[in-house]
Amino acid sequence: MATQPSGQRKLQILQALAAMLEHPKGEKITTAALARRLEVSEAALYRHFASKAQMFEGLIDFIETSVFGLINQITERQHDGLAQACDILAMLLHFAANNPGMTRVLIGDALVGEDERLQQRMNGFYDRVELALKGALRQAAADAAAAPGPGGDQERDIAAHASLMVAFVVGRWHRYAKSGFALSPAQDANAQIALLLR
């Protein structure tokens, strides 16, 4: 690891941490265990990250950049509100299926016992996802011209629907992680999403 540029070393550390998170029944994730996996000293880890919390922040940065980049692509490409919501939900489920270690960060499982600000940051992530879904649902309501604009009841319905969708996604992520990554969150996703968007 000594001959690699700093950016590559950081990426290698984060990839190793994510790989360790894919084994929920494996050894406890400590900086010592991470250093052993990378065959470096703990001091070498701390040259790149000030703390283990900062390593988890690196994973959260990856999650946020990836997910919100994809949401932006969906909303730019897809103008139909219901199709946006459908694509966002499917993307969230597939993201977890493709990144099992990150799923433990998404549900907060990997953050238990870590710095409280990490879970607060994930709570903010959920809020931003819900906001994106509200936007898609508002677009769908405008597309359908079901009501004369976002007023009291319609706005409450949109908020409740978006909250339900986030709860669905988080529930699928939990089931995936708690099954030891055996039950893919994307399994039967299209049928379940169709039911949510009726």
Side-chain angles (χ1 to χ4, degrees):
M1 201 160 120
T3 61
Q4 295 177 336
S6 180
Q8 285 182 337
R9 288 185 208 143
K10 279 185 161 184
L11 181 61
Q12 185 182 29
I13 292 167
L14 294 176
Q15 288 171 334
L17 177 57
M20 290 176 77
L21 289 169
E22 291 180 20
H23 304 286
K25 299 201 180 2
E27 68 181 314
K28 184 175 182 343
I29 297 182
T30 61
T31 53
L34 182 59
R36 270 194 309 278
R37 183 180 186 101
L38 290 166
E39 298 177 350
V40 298
S41 68
E42 282 186 76
L45 296 178
Y46 288 118
R47 278 194 288 274
H48 302 286
F49 295 97
S51 64
K52 190 166 81 167
Q54 200 175 69
M55 293 176 204
F56 278 112
E57 284 178 336
L59 294 181
I60 294 170
D61 286 342
F62 170 80
I63 290 168
E64 289 178 337
T65 301
S66 300
V67 167
F68 294 114
L70 290 168
I71 287 174
N72 288 339
Q73 288 176 25
I74 290 166
T75 57
E76 288 170 11
R77 180 188 74 236
Q78 186 60 262
H79 299 290
D80 175 81
L82 282 180
Q84 283 179 14
C86 179
D87 290 353
I88 290 169
L89 292 171
M91 177 274 296
L92 291 167
L93 297 175
H94 286 283
F95 180 83
N98 294 332
N99 298 284
M102 299 295 183
T103 303
R104 293 190 56 215
V105 176
L106 285 165
I107 64 170
D109 184 45
L111 306 178
V112 172
E114 300 298 334
D115 192 307
E116 187 179 314
R117 77 178 185 278
L118 296 171
Q119 187 57 58
Q120 290 170 349
R121 190 157 167 203
M122 288 312 304
N123 292 343
F125 170 85
Y126 302 143
D127 292 344
R128 288 176 63 196
V129 168
E130 188 170 326
L131 190 62
L133 289 167
K134 283 180 187 176
L137 293 172
R138 282 188 193 104
Q139 180 64 45
D143 292 346
D153 289 340
Q154 183 183 12
E155 193 58 33
R156 276 194 300 276
D157 289 348
I158 287 171
H161 202 169
S163 179
L164 175 65
M165 286 189 231
V166 171
F168 161 74
V169 169
V170 173
R172 295 294 294 175
W173 290 342
H174 266 277
R175 190 169 184 212
Y176 181 48
K178 299 305 179 185
S179 72
F181 307 114
L183 298 173
S184 172
Q187 182 181 343
D188 300 323
N190 291 340
Q192 293 171 352
I193 291 169
L195 288 170
L196 272 176
L197 293 176
R198 269 193 189 162

